[in-house]
């Protein structure tokens, strides 16, 4: 994951899925939301973002990644 990286836009009321990636260090990586995700979306420790967006707009958020 790189600073300023973006994920595909979602649509309110439509199921959403995207994956984050990382490089360097020693896998496995653990992804943790360092700020609030867009309403209706969740982040798994494996880097999967999923859910159903409930609001339109721009929602910048931060993710922390740790390695083994």
């Amino acid at each position: 994951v790189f600073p300023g990286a973006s994920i595909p836009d979602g649509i309110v009321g439509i199921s959403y899925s995207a994956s984050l990636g990382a490089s360097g260090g020693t896998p496995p990586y653990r992804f943790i939301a360092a700020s609030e995700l867009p309403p209706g979306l969740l982040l798994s420790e494996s880097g999967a973002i999923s859910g159903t967006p409930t609001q339109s707009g721009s929602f910048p958020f931060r993710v922390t990644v740790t390695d083994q």
Side-chain angles (χ1 to χ4, degrees):
V1 178
F2 301 97
S6 63
I7 58 173
D9 292 341
I11 299 172
V12 172
I14 304 294
S15 182
Y16 182 86
S17 179
S19 294
L20 302 178
S23 61
T26 305
Y29 301 110
R30 182 175 177 220
F31 295 79
I32 302 166
S35 65
E36 193 169 328
L37 268 68
L41 299 183
L42 300 172
L43 173 66
S44 74
E45 287 187 358
S46 65
I49 299 174
S50 61
T52 303
T54 60
Q55 294 180 15
S56 62
S58 178
F59 299 93
F61 62 93
R62 295 180 323 164
V63 173
T64 299
V65 182
T66 59
D67 65 351
Q68 187 166 349

